[in-house]
Amino acid sequence: MARYDRAITVFSPDGHLFQVEYALEAVRKGNAAVGVRGSDVVVLGVEKKSTPKLQDSRSVKKIVSLDDHVALACAGLKADARVLINRARIECQSHRLTVEDPVTVEYITRYIAGMQQKYTQSGGVRPFGLSTLIAGFDPYTCVPSLYQTDPSGTFQAWKANATGRNSNSMREFLEKNYKETSGQETVKLAIRALLEVVESGGKNIEIAVMTKEHGLRQLEEAEIDAIVADIDAEKAAAEAAKKGPARET
Amino acid sequence: MAVGLDFNGTAQQVNNFVSVSIQFDKPGACKARGSDLRVHFKFIKMKLDTSGLESTAPFFGSSNELLDGFSAAPFFEVPNTTNFDGFQKEAIQMVKPAKGTTTLAFIFKEGVMVAADSRASMGGYISSQSVKKIIEINPYMLGTMAGGAADCQFWHRNLGIKCRLHELANKRRISVTGASKLLANILYSYRGMGLSVGTMIAGWDETGPGLYYVDSEGGRLKGTRFSVGSGSPYAYGVLDNGYRYDMSIEEAAELARRSIYHATFRDGASGGVASVYYVGPDGWKKLSGDDVGELHYKYYPVTPSTVEQEMVEVAGA
């Protein structure tokens, strides 16, 4: 077993951990994911790549729940995601058992980030190749939270963030258009951000809404289509308004 | 046909076997036709007969025992008892330290009231009258001590450490539920190793007042009224009788004080000073610490009795 103690993640002469940076590359190749925090909801959205005809699309769930009040969306290596999600789910229950309290979103984010960090400082293992967006409500308070972790093991709280493919353009869009929203407005904002980089249509987008009362709710394809139609209409109206007054003068 | 034999013989004990050598006086004396030779031996000492368990008789301490465990004859004395099924439990009860104390706690409208005596006893010897049995885990949580003083003190301080670490890591105070669960899990992992802790964790957290009973057997109970220790039956009597949920702080403190006093009056292992603490939304506060001897005369003041007969000097011789 001594053979497997050689660390894979070692420092480069100029202070980089190349394995971690390569892991971030893997994340950049993963599907687009976005998260937006509203005043009373948190919305997670994921790009759904077209499923082959014979594949049962229900078995491919991109947004998962860790507990009744915490959900996770990720971008990157899906197999790594499965391992991380299982461990996080166990930790959520273990926390409930030892202190008779559900986890706070920050606690479970810290746990996941801690695990990702461990794999950058151990022998014979490679880092997890995924970034996660963790959304939820803290028990006993009505405060919604959105956190992001990455392969290096750091985590931050965000008002809105994107990861995965073309995350930069999504983030730019969010930075330009973010404002405090609630309920359906937050959902629209998330979908608009996702539509910047994804083909329009309900079958290419997966959206889940986390509320205090109802927990995690996955939106149906029809619902998403309706909202997309709304957004398109608004866009057209905005375009028309821009062109209209200009012609008159 | 039975034949009686006179014999000069020796009964010799080798390990757990009695070997008997018999010498016949007259040769041919035991020639008898069609008779069974029954030999009766009277054993003086009762030994567990394990001859059925092994095939060869080993010598005591021979190397045979080390090499071949199966054929080694188990050699042990059966304990001198009539209660074969329960003697082990009796032994445990004999060495189990009795929780010589009285502590109580109850939840009422305004918060939690915690009270305890202050006597430490070693059998019949009172080793101290001024033991602090209410331990301050942190500014809003108290623990009571019953059982082994060292065990209680150490594990309560340890619990205080864990509570503080939880606060620092999670940026919010630990609940009374969580704290009591941590302690109960620790005590459970030491179950059977001789810890003696009968404690109550009382505190005020986000969900209001909380009271849990935790002991070294690993048990943990949530409740509104608890009393722990050898004086607890007496304290329960007074506490259960006088308890109302909507008492004021002074009434509740007086009830707690009286319950401790009555327990110290009847229980020899309780005494000293009756301390009363109150846990409210802002944390705990010590309300009083009265010597139970003085409390006795406060509750039952001595009335000067009228002299029935005055003794007078008898005049004369």
Side-chain angles (χ1 to χ4, degrees):
Chain A
M1 284 311 266
R3 288 198 297 274
Y4 299 100
D5 281 338
R6 279 213 19 243
I8 285 175
T9 315
V10 289
F11 279 112
S12 70
D14 56 349
H16 291 250
L17 287 171
F18 278 125
Q19 281 302 306
V20 172
E21 295 189 7
Y22 299 158
L24 282 161
E25 267 304 309
V27 169
R28 261 173 241 135
K29 295 211 164 32
N31 55 262
V34 71
V36 182
R37 188 184 81 194
S39 58
D40 59 349
V41 297
V42 196
V43 181
L44 289 172
V46 186
E47 167 196 7
K48 219 170 24 174
K49 293 218 178 83
S50 56
T51 55
K53 268 198 213 150
L54 293 172
Q55 190 181 81
D56 189 347
S57 56
R58 282 172 303 168
S59 68
V60 188
K61 273 247 165 287
K62 301 259 175 87
I63 304 174
V64 295
S65 64
L66 298 179
D67 203 342
D68 294 331
H69 60 296
V70 190
L72 178 146
C74 56
L77 269 53
K78 285 292 174 280
D80 288 3
R82 204 178 54 235
V83 169
L84 213 54
I85 288 167
N86 282 338
R87 300 244 191 104
R89 283 173 171 164
I90 291 174
E91 180 60 25
C92 284
Q93 297 310 310
S94 176
H95 186 273
R96 272 184 193 259
L97 183 62
T98 45
V99 292
E100 283 190 22
D101 243 353
V103 293
T104 58
V105 187
E106 201 248 342
Y107 178 92
I108 197 65
T109 308
R110 204 159 9 101
Y111 178 81
I112 290 175
M115 214 189 324
Q116 285 181 296
Q117 191 280 338
K118 231 184 281 183
Y119 280 70
T120 66
Q121 213 178 5
S122 302
V125 296
R126 61 162 176 81
F128 286 97
L130 71 148
S131 293
T132 68
L133 285 168
I134 299 166
F137 284 83
D138 281 344
Y140 302 123
T141 62
C142 293
V143 176
S145 320
L146 176 68
Y147 285 87
Q148 190 212 25
T149 71
D150 58 36
S152 62
T154 59
F155 70 95
Q156 305 92 16
W158 292 78
K159 292 183 199 162
N161 198 8
T163 180
R165 208 161 59 83
N166 299 333
S167 56
N168 283 332
S169 12
M170 281 194 281
R171 207 173 299 121
E172 266 178 42
F173 175 85
L174 285 169
E175 277 175 17
K176 253 188 264 172
N177 297 296
Y178 179 82
K179 56 186 196 304
E180 287 289 335
T181 51
S182 70
Q184 198 67 345
E185 282 302 312
T186 321
V187 182
K188 264 202 202 149
L189 184 57
I191 295 180
R192 276 166 61 205
L194 211 46
L195 286 175
E196 292 282 309
V197 300
V198 167
E199 245 182 69
S200 181
K203 60 176 168 52
N204 299 320
I205 297 175
E206 197 177 302
I207 299 279
V209 181
M210 170 73 84
T211 47
K212 179 95 187 134
E213 300 82 31
H214 305 294
L216 188 70
R217 191 173 74 89
Q218 306 263 7
L219 293 186
E220 301 276 325
E221 223 183 273
E223 280 182 271
I224 300 174
D225 276 330
I227 300 175
V228 169
D230 258 350
I231 291 170
D232 284 337
E234 277 174 18
K235 243 197 233 172
E239 296 270 330
K242 255 196 264 173
K243 285 192 194 140
R247 259 201 211 144
E248 279 172 18
T249 53
Chain B
M1 183 170 109
V3 177
L5 282 175
D6 283 328
F7 65 94
N8 288 326
T10 50
Q12 203 182 24
Q13 185 185 334
V14 176
N15 287 349
N16 55 340
F17 287 97
V18 179
S19 77
V20 180
S21 62
I22 308 168
Q23 279 175 311
F24 292 101
D25 286 330
K26 283 191 297 191
C30 64
K31 212 199 284 177
R33 267 173 300 192
S35 67
D36 297 333
L37 187 66
R38 264 195 209 111
V39 182
H40 296 271
F41 296 103
K42 208 168 190 177
F43 292 94
I44 309 147
K45 219 178 189 177
M46 181 69 167
K47 281 269 183 219
L48 191 68
D49 178 21
T50 55
S51 56
L53 292 174
E54 47 70 55
S55 47
T56 56
F59 289 106
F60 183 71
S62 77
S63 55
N64 276 347
E65 286 183 29
L66 299 168
L67 295 171
D68 192 349
F70 279 124
S71 64
F75 173 72
F76 54 88
E77 292 230 20
V78 175
N80 213 11
T81 177
T82 47
N83 184 10
F84 284 111
D85 294 316
F87 73 90
Q88 279 175 321
K89 266 196 187 163
E90 274 179 35
I92 292 173
Q93 281 299 112
M94 201 169 71
V95 296
K96 193 174 182 167
K99 299 187 173 103
T101 186
T102 310
T103 59
L104 61 87
F106 58 88
I107 294 181
F108 66 112
K109 184 180 61 160
E110 306 279 347
V112 197
M113 200 58 78
V114 185
D117 74 314
S118 69
R119 176 175 290 183
S121 48
M122 282 155 46
Y125 173 68
I126 297 174
S127 42
S128 170
Q129 289 272 60
S130 51
V131 178
K132 271 192 73 173
K133 294 194 187 178
I134 297 181
I135 299 161
E136 298 139 14
I137 298 170
N138 59 42
Y140 55 96
M141 233 190 290
L142 292 174
T144 59
M145 181 201 295
D151 290 338
C152 288
Q153 268 179 5
F154 178 85
W155 288 111
H156 276 125
R157 281 209 85 180
N158 186 281
L159 179 64
I161 293 171
K162 288 209 162 63
C163 291
R164 179 70 183 138
L165 288 174
H166 180 101
E167 251 180 60
L168 289 170
N170 296 299
K171 289 184 222 158
R172 57 193 277 258
R173 283 183 185 169
I174 194 170
S175 58
V176 184
T177 315
S180 60
K181 196 88 185 250
L182 287 178
L183 183 63
N185 287 339
I186 293 169
L187 293 177
Y188 182 78
S189 62
Y190 284 91
R191 191 175 139 89
M193 295 197 216
L195 283 185
S196 170
V197 173
T199 181
M200 295 177 283
I201 306 291
W204 188 291
D205 60 29
E206 278 168 359
T207 59
L211 179 61
Y212 284 84
Y213 164 75
V214 177
D215 69 20
S216 46
E217 309 296 301
R220 173 175 167 267
L221 298 170
K222 184 177 158 85
T224 47
R225 290 206 298 275
F226 285 115
S227 176
V228 182
S230 57
S232 61
Y234 312 110
Y236 268 131
V238 178
L239 177 61
D240 290 338
N241 184 42
Y243 176 82
R244 275 179 1 259
Y245 180 74
D246 49 355
M247 288 188 280
S248 68
I249 297 178
E250 294 78 33
E251 286 177 312
E254 184 53 29
L255 178 65
R257 202 174 301 123
R258 247 181 343 111
S259 309
I260 294 287
Y261 156 74
H262 279 283
T264 60
F265 186 67
R266 288 291 174 183
D267 176 35
S270 304
V273 168
S275 336
V276 180
Y277 281 68
Y278 163 69
V279 189
D282 303 321
W284 59 259
K285 185 160 142 18
K286 178 159 184 180
L287 293 181
S288 66
D290 303 293
D291 183 280
V292 295
E294 285 168 26
L295 279 180
H296 172 83
Y297 290 110
K298 192 176 98 166
Y299 293 134
Y300 304 106
V302 178
T303 49
S305 54
T306 52
V307 178
E308 289 168 8
Q309 259 189 346
E310 249 188 58
M311 294 232 311
V312 288
E313 281 243 3
V314 176

